[in-house]
Amino acid sequence: RGLSMTVAPKAQVVELVSRVVPAVVPEDDVAIKAFSSTPSEWKGDMIIIPVYATPKPEGAEEGPNAELTGPAKELDGVLGGIISEMIGDASFKGSKGEKVSTFVPGGSAKRVALVGAGEKDKENSDTVEALGASIAGVALDAKVASVLVVSTGSQPDSQALSSGVLGKLYADDRFRTGDNVSKPVKLKSMEIEGATSDALDAAVKHARGVTSGVRLAKDLVGAPPNYLTPSSMAGVAEKISKDLGLSLTILEQEECEKLGMGSYLGVAQGAIEPPKFIHLTYKPKGEVKSKIALIGKGLTFDSGGYNLKAGAGSMIELMKFDMGGSAAVLGAAQAIGKLKPDNVQVDFIVAACENMLSDRAMRPGDILTASNGKTIEVLNTDAEGRLTLADALIYAEKLNPDKIVDLATLTGACIISLGNEYAGMWSDNDDLAAELLESSKDGGEKLWRMPLVESYKEELKSKIADLKNVGGRAGGSITAALFLKEFVTKTPWAHIDMAGPVWDAKAGGSTGYGVRTLVEFVAKQQ
C-alpha cells in the first residue's frame, strides 16, 4: 500500500513497555515454603487455619459450628482453647469466605485467624485457589510479614493454594499517583504446615510461572491504548524473548506487504501507529514431538472504523481489551518460557494493529486480498478482528504445526449467547476440542463448545468476492468462526471467542483469561 506510518523511536517504545510491564511485582518477594515442626513452635506474625464446614443437616436452616481436627486441634490445646472460643463467639461455620481473627497474648505467634474453606467433599482446584486468595487477603488486611498456614489434618492442593495466594497480590497501580497508590505489600513469608518440601517447591514453581503469565495478560489488557500500542506490544514480546530465551521475529509493514497480508494490512491502514506482526517461538532442549501454534487477536484499540462504535452500549471506552487474545497468548508465552515443558514446540503469533477512522482507513465495500489469495468483501469495518486473524492463520499453517488454536475477543454475539463468564469454542476436530475443554477445566477457566454449522456458510457468500466479512444478524459468533475456518486448510484447528470473560466489569479490570487454559493445553502435548 505504500503507506507512510510514523514509527515510534526505540527509546519511546522502551519507556512505554516499562510502564505497561512493571519491573518489580510483589509476588516475587513472597516466599512460600514448607514447615515441618509443630505449629506451637512457630514464631511469627500470624497463624491462619483453613477450616472446613460441616454439612448442614437436612431440614436445618444453617450448619453447625466448625470443628477443629488434626494439627489445628493440637494447637488449640497448647493455646488454652482460644481457637475454640473464636469459633463459638463468632458462630464460625467454615463457610467459604468466612473469616475471624484474634490476638494471642504471650504466644509465639502474635495472631491467629480462621478462614472458611467450605465443605470438603465439594473441594476442587477452583475452591482451593479461592481459599488461597482468602488466606492472602487476611494476611494483607492484617498487614503482617510472616504467616503459617496450619491444616486441620487434610492438605489442600498446594499448586492451587499457591496460585490463589500469589494471584491475590495483584494490584494495578501503574497509572496511579500519591495516595491513590496501593500500600506496599508487607507479606514476605508464607509457610505451609505439613507440606513436603520437594512437592511444595515444584507446586510453587508451577504456580509462579502461571501467575506470572496471568499477571502479564492482566497488565496488557488493562493498559490504556496510548501506552499499549502495536509497537509497545512488540516491545513486550522482545522482553519475553530476551528474558526467557524464546526466539522472536517481528514482521514490519513492508515485510507483511511482501507476504501479501492484505486482509491484516487493510485493518491497519487507517492508523498512524504501524502494524507489528509478532512471532515468538519456544523450543524445548530435547526432542520435539509435537508443534502447536497459538494465535491471539491483537487489536490494541478498535474504534470500529467507519462503522464507528457509537452510542450507549458500544463499549468504545473499553476497546483497549480488544487485544485480550494476544494478551492470553503472550501471557502463555511467558508462563511456558518459565516452566519449560519438554518435547513440545510452541509458536505464539499476534498480528498487532489498531482499527482507526481516518482518510485512509478501509471503507465498507472495500475488497481485501488475504495472503492465500482469497478475496474478502468488507461489509462492516467493525468486524475487523477476523480480517487480521485470517492472515495470521495462513502464516501459522505454513509453519506445519500439529494443531492451531486462536483466541479472540471476536463477537458481541458470543457474550449474548454465553454471558460474561464463559468463552465459546469452535473446532473442526473433536479430539482437539476435548483437549481444550479438559485444559480449561484443569485451569479453572470456563469454556463451552459451540457448533460449526456448515449450512450457515451461505451467509458469508459474496456476489463480487470470495467471502463477505460478516453474515446476517443471527448466529453471528458461528459465522465468525466459519469465516476463520476458511483460512485453515488441513491442520486441526480451534477458535476461542473470549469476548465475555476477558473483562470483569464489577472489579473494573482484566481477568487474564486464557493463559491457564493454554498452559494446561501445552502441558498435555508433551
Side-chain angles (χ1 to χ4, degrees):
R1 282 172 172 71
L3 300 179
S4 177
M5 294 183 174
T6 303
V7 179
K10 182 68 175 178
Q12 181 182 342
V13 172
V14 171
E15 171 64 20
L16 290 174
V17 171
S18 70
R19 289 297 300 273
V20 170
V21 184
V24 178
V25 295
E27 53 263 39
D28 289 345
D29 294 330
V30 178
I32 302 177
K33 53 191 177 182
F35 180 78
S36 57
S37 300
T38 59
S40 59
E41 296 176 358
W42 183 80
K43 293 183 179 180
D45 293 329
M46 177 178 271
I47 291 175
I48 300 179
I49 305 171
V51 182
Y52 291 99
T54 302
K56 183 172 63 175
E58 187 175 349
E61 292 186 5
E62 60 180 25
N65 286 352
E67 294 182 2
L68 295 173
T69 57
K73 186 174 182 179
E74 295 171 13
L75 178 63
D76 186 42
V78 173
L79 296 178
I82 192 171
I83 303 174
S84 296
E85 288 180 15
M86 289 168 60
I87 291 174
D89 291 346
S91 297
F92 189 84
K93 310 297 183 188
S95 302
K96 287 188 291 185
E98 213 175 347
K99 307 169 193 174
V100 63
S101 65
T102 189
F103 286 94
V104 182
S108 58
K110 298 173 185 175
R111 301 173 73 170
V112 172
L114 305 178
V115 175
E119 295 181 23
K120 178 64 178 177
D121 62 357
K122 295 180 180 178
E123 185 176 80
N124 54 43
S125 60
D126 291 349
T127 63
V128 174
E129 186 165 340
L131 175 62
S134 293
I135 289 170
V138 168
L140 294 174
D141 290 344
K143 298 178 176 59
V144 295
S146 57
V147 165
L148 173 67
V149 179
V150 175
S151 75
T152 53
S154 177
Q155 285 286 346
D157 178 71
S158 297
Q159 186 173 304
L161 191 76
S162 300
S163 293
V165 169
L166 296 170
K168 183 66 176 179
L169 302 177
Y170 180 83
D172 190 356
D173 288 314
R174 294 170 295 169
F175 305 101
R176 292 179 174 142
T177 61
D179 293 339
N180 293 317
V181 177
S182 303
K183 301 298 181 186
V185 172
K186 292 189 176 181
L187 183 64
K188 299 299 178 186
S189 171
M190 182 171 289
E191 297 176 72
I192 312 293
E193 173 272 325
T196 304
S197 291
D198 289 346
L200 180 62
D201 289 348
V204 171
K205 179 182 178 182
H206 189 277
R208 287 193 189 280
V210 176
T211 300
S212 170
V214 172
R215 168 180 270 276
L216 176 61
K218 287 183 174 182
D219 282 343
L220 292 174
V221 173
N226 58 326
Y227 283 85
L228 186 68
T229 64
S231 294
S232 60
M233 182 182 282
V236 171
E238 288 180 11
K239 186 176 187 304
I240 295 170
S241 173
K242 181 179 179 181
D243 291 349
L244 300 172
L246 279 67
S247 62
L248 174 65
T249 299
I250 296 176
L251 301 180
E252 303 293 347
Q253 180 185 330
E254 184 176 347
E255 295 166 289
C256 293
E257 288 174 350
K258 289 179 181 178
L259 291 174
M261 294 184 177
S263 186
Y264 164 45
L265 294 175
V267 177
Q269 71 188 40
I272 294 175
E273 286 286 342
K276 300 284 182 177
F277 193 96
I278 301 164
H279 177 194
L280 279 163
T281 303
Y282 165 79
K283 289 185 179 180
K285 288 186 177 179
E287 180 185 2
V288 174
K289 295 182 179 179
S290 61
K291 292 174 64 177
I292 307 298
L294 303 177
I295 303 170
K297 175 184 170 183
L299 269 293
T300 58
F301 185 74
D302 176 22
S303 69
Y306 274 98
N307 292 106
L308 184 68
K309 295 180 185 289
S314 71
M315 297 197 299
I316 191 170
E317 75 283 0
L318 289 176
M319 282 302 108
K320 63 182 182 180
F321 73 41
D322 212 20
M323 38 60 63
S326 62
V329 165
L330 293 177
Q334 177 150 299
I336 288 164
K338 290 190 173 188
L339 297 174
K340 302 191 183 307
D342 296 328
N343 306 127
V344 57
Q345 175 178 317
V346 190
D347 291 284
F348 307 90
I349 297 165
V350 176
C353 65
E354 295 178 333
N355 183 26
M356 299 298 285
L357 183 61
S358 73
D359 59 349
R360 62 189 185 190
M362 67 175 175
R363 295 146 295 211
D366 281 359
I367 292 180
L368 307 177
T369 303
S371 49
N372 64 352
K374 284 192 176 182
T375 56
I376 305 160
E377 182 184 8
V378 178
L379 295 188
N380 189 322
T381 61
D382 195 22
E384 83 302 325
R386 65 199 71 183
L387 298 174
T388 67
L389 289 171
D391 280 324
L393 286 164
I394 296 163
Y395 178 94
E397 192 163 39
K398 290 178 180 177
L399 302 173
N400 295 314
D402 298 307
K403 299 165 188 175
I404 298 174
V405 180
D406 76 73
L407 296 89
T409 50
L410 204 64
T411 68
C414 195
I415 302 176
I416 299 301
S417 299
L418 297 175
N420 292 314
E421 294 185 14
Y422 275 85
M425 183 263 291
W426 290 259
S427 181
D428 58 359
N429 184 283
D430 289 341
D431 291 338
L432 175 55
E435 281 186 325
L436 286 167
L437 290 172
E438 185 180 356
S439 299
S440 69
K441 184 177 180 181
D442 292 344
E445 296 181 324
K446 295 177 179 178
L447 185 66
W448 194 265
R449 189 176 186 184
M450 302 285 277
L452 270 173
V453 187
E454 287 295 318
S455 61
Y456 289 11
K457 286 172 64 174
E458 292 294 318
E459 297 276 341
L460 297 173
K461 287 186 176 180
S462 167
K463 292 186 178 358
I464 58 173
D466 295 329
L467 292 165
K468 297 186 295 188
N469 77 323
V470 290
R473 182 176 176 82
S477 59
I478 299 174
T479 52
L482 287 167
F483 178 90
L484 296 177
K485 187 173 181 290
E486 291 293 309
F487 299 91
V488 183
T489 59
K490 62 182 185 299
T491 309
W493 156 84
H495 159 63
I496 294 176
D497 190 335
M498 50 182 282
V502 69
W503 191 259
D504 184 341
K506 185 176 181 181
S510 169
T511 62
Y513 184 92
V515 174
R516 297 165 186 264
T517 296
L518 293 181
V519 171
E520 293 291 340
F521 173 68
V522 169
K524 294 183 191 317
Q525 313 306 314
Q526 297 183 70

